[in-house]
């Protein structure tokens, strides 16, 4: 909050929070190149100037930024305030507390937090395409219900639509978490949930990401996961309690399996989905939470800089 001017800009550029516009194509005319950063005495701001004779527009370092925004009048927020809000957001400070900590209005806080989630979503959607599984590594898969919608206009008893997501992750590699949206069947309003994943939802996912990839798949007892595909060895555990005669048997969340891996012989693996289950615990916004899970052991401020550099370079 105490930094101003060129010191603030250099600090943000050092962490890739702000891009280096010098020598880049002008985003306004698309023809000229941006010059070095200079102080504009007329506007009292630091700007880059386009060298094209038909443009000559001045560009501030945070113009066309995925998170920071420009504004005038009451909607203007200084760069040091926006950067401080972003720092709080990457540090895990709640949105309702940030405006009290920084003694600023709620509007810029809401805007920065929303823009950060949007930028993370763009980044995750682009990077998720590069995730692959294989080499007989352990992969966990599970699904979760994140919400429901009741349509009172439907006369049918089954008037409740559920939002259900599935996910898979390679053990020991948080950045391999992949999410996919499911299409569960409608239920009655009193139903506790839509039930486990269906075969019609699981088949296209398994064929696209796991078939012939040589993985050891760990799941719960849903029948859809038991389908046979080449290159997949399946191990499952039963989370649901079962009753034998008059005695309740506790559910098993882990179980040892002895499996035979082609070319490697027999090996013992511990089945279960305790790794991916941890992800559902802090699920807030789908893609933003996925980004946080990918980088949960890293410096989020520096990771955000790498994300912004990727988004700027891929523009």
């Amino acid at each position: 909050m105490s930094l101003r001017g060129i010191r603030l800009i250099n600090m943000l550029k050092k962490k890739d929070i702000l891009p280096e516009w010098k020598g880049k194509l002008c985003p306004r005319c698309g023809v000229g190149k941006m010059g070095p950063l200079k102080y504009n005495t007329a506007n009292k701001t630091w700007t880059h100037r386009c060298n094209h004779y038909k443009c000559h527009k001045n560009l501030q370092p945070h113009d066309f930024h995925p998170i920071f925004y420009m504004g005038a009048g009451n909607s203007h927020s200084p760069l040091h305030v926006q950067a401080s809000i972003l720092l709080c957001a990457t540090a895990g400070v709640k949105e309702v507390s940030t405006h009290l900590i920084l003694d600023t209005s709620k509007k810029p806080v809401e805007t920065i937090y929303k823009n950060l989630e949007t930028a993370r979503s763009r980044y995750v959607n682009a990077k998720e395409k590069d995730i692959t599984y294989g080499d007989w590594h352990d992969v966990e898969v599970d699904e979760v219900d994140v919400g429901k919608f009741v349509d009172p206009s439907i006369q049918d008893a089954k008037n409740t639509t559920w939002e259900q997501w599935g996910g898979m992750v390679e053990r020991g590699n948080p950045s391999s978490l992949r999410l996919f949206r499911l299409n569960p069947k409608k239920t009655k309003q009193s139903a506790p949930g839509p039930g486990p994943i269906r075969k019609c939802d699981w088949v296209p996912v398994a064929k696209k990401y796991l078939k012939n990839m040589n993985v050891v798949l760990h799941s719960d007892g849903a029948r859809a996961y038991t389908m046979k595909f080449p290159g997949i060895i399946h191990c499952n555990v039963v989370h649901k309690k079962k009753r034998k005669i008059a005695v309740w048997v506790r559910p098993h969340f882990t179980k040892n399996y002895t499996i035979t891996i082609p070319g490697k012989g027999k090996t013992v693996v511990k089945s279960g989905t305790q790794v991916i289950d941890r992800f559902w615990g802090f699920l807030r916004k789908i893609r933003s939470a996925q980004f946080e899970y990918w980088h949960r052991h890293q410096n989020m401020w520096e990771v955000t800089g790498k994300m912004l550099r990727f988004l700027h370079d891929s523009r």
Side-chain angles (χ1 to χ4, degrees):
M1 289 290 283
S2 63
L3 288 177
R4 300 289 191 279
I6 193 65
R7 291 178 56 214
L8 173 64
I9 294 172
N10 288 338
M11 187 272 288
L12 294 177
K13 282 185 176 182
K14 186 177 180 180
K15 295 297 183 179
D16 291 324
I17 302 297
L18 287 179
E20 178 55 68
W21 282 107
K22 181 182 177 181
K24 298 294 181 65
L25 197 66
C26 176
R28 289 193 173 94
C29 68
V31 179
K33 296 293 183 66
M34 303 306 300
L37 188 66
K38 294 182 178 180
Y39 186 71
N40 189 328
T41 55
N43 299 327
K44 297 182 179 180
T45 55
W46 290 88
T47 59
H48 299 270
R49 188 169 182 263
C50 177
N51 65 1
H52 195 262
Y53 72 97
K54 289 185 178 180
C55 183
H56 288 322
K57 297 291 185 180
N58 289 318
L59 184 78
Q60 294 191 45
H62 60 293
D63 268 333
F64 299 94
H65 197 272
I67 299 177
F68 299 147
Y69 62 95
M70 307 297 294
N74 293 332
S75 62
H76 171 71
S77 293
L79 180 58
H80 70 279
V81 174
Q82 297 188 49
S84 301
I85 296 172
L86 178 60
L87 181 60
C88 290
T90 57
V93 181
K94 293 183 179 180
E95 183 178 333
V96 295
S97 303
T98 300
H99 81 98
L100 298 175
I101 295 174
L102 301 179
D103 191 24
T104 186
S105 62
K106 293 183 179 180
K107 187 62 178 178
V109 176
E110 294 175 355
T111 302
I112 294 297
Y113 272 70
K114 181 180 179 180
N115 291 347
L116 177 60
E117 289 179 355
T118 303
R120 286 176 172 178
S121 179
R122 290 173 53 196
Y123 178 81
V124 168
N125 286 331
K127 285 293 187 178
E128 197 177 50
K129 301 174 183 177
D130 301 328
I131 297 176
T132 57
Y133 308 101
D135 198 23
W136 295 116
H137 289 163
D138 296 294
V139 176
E140 296 183 9
V141 64
D142 198 9
E143 72 277 353
V144 67
D145 309 322
V146 296
K148 65 178 181 179
F149 169 72
V150 180
D151 190 352
S153 63
I154 299 179
Q155 301 299 326
D156 189 3
K158 296 183 178 181
N159 62 349
T160 302
T161 303
W162 293 83
E163 183 174 356
Q164 190 178 49
W165 285 75
M168 61 179 69
V169 61
E170 181 183 296
R171 287 181 178 175
N173 185 12
S175 61
S176 67
L177 176 67
R178 180 191 299 278
L179 298 181
F180 45 92
R181 191 169 185 172
L182 305 177
N183 185 28
K185 59 183 178 180
K186 293 184 178 181
T187 66
K188 296 180 180 179
Q189 186 173 351
S190 58
I197 186 174
R198 298 187 294 173
K199 291 182 179 180
C200 60
D201 286 330
W202 172 242
V203 168
V205 174
K207 286 184 176 180
K208 185 175 182 180
Y209 302 119
L210 300 178
K211 183 179 179 181
N212 296 321
M213 297 304 293
N214 297 338
V215 298
V216 180
L217 183 67
H218 302 273
S219 71
D220 55 24
R223 291 183 179 180
Y225 296 131
T226 61
M227 300 182 67
K228 302 295 184 180
F229 294 97
I232 301 177
I233 297 178
H234 180 240
C235 305
N236 74 290
V237 293
V238 179
H239 290 177
K240 184 179 180 181
K241 290 192 297 183
K242 290 186 176 180
R243 189 176 184 179
K244 292 187 176 181
I245 308 177
V247 180
W248 283 101
V249 180
R250 295 183 61 186
H252 297 282
F253 291 93
T254 59
K255 184 178 178 181
N256 290 331
Y257 271 83
T258 301
I259 61 176
T260 302
I261 296 179
K264 296 185 178 181
K266 291 187 177 181
T267 184
V268 178
V269 297
K270 180 176 286 188
S271 181
T273 56
Q274 64 272 26
V275 175
I276 195 171
D277 284 339
R278 298 191 192 109
F279 170 73
W280 306 131
F282 68 89
L283 180 65
R284 186 170 67 93
K285 297 291 180 69
I286 300 293
R287 295 302 182 185
S288 181
Q290 186 178 0
F291 178 89
E292 292 178 5
Y293 186 83
W294 281 3
H295 306 287
R296 69 186 192 278
H297 297 310
Q298 303 176 33
N299 186 316
M300 294 301 292
W301 179 253
E302 294 183 355
V303 168
T304 301
K306 294 179 181 178
M307 175 193 71
L308 293 173
R309 181 175 58 187
F310 173 83
L311 294 177
H312 181 76
D313 293 340
S314 60
R315 180 179 297 171

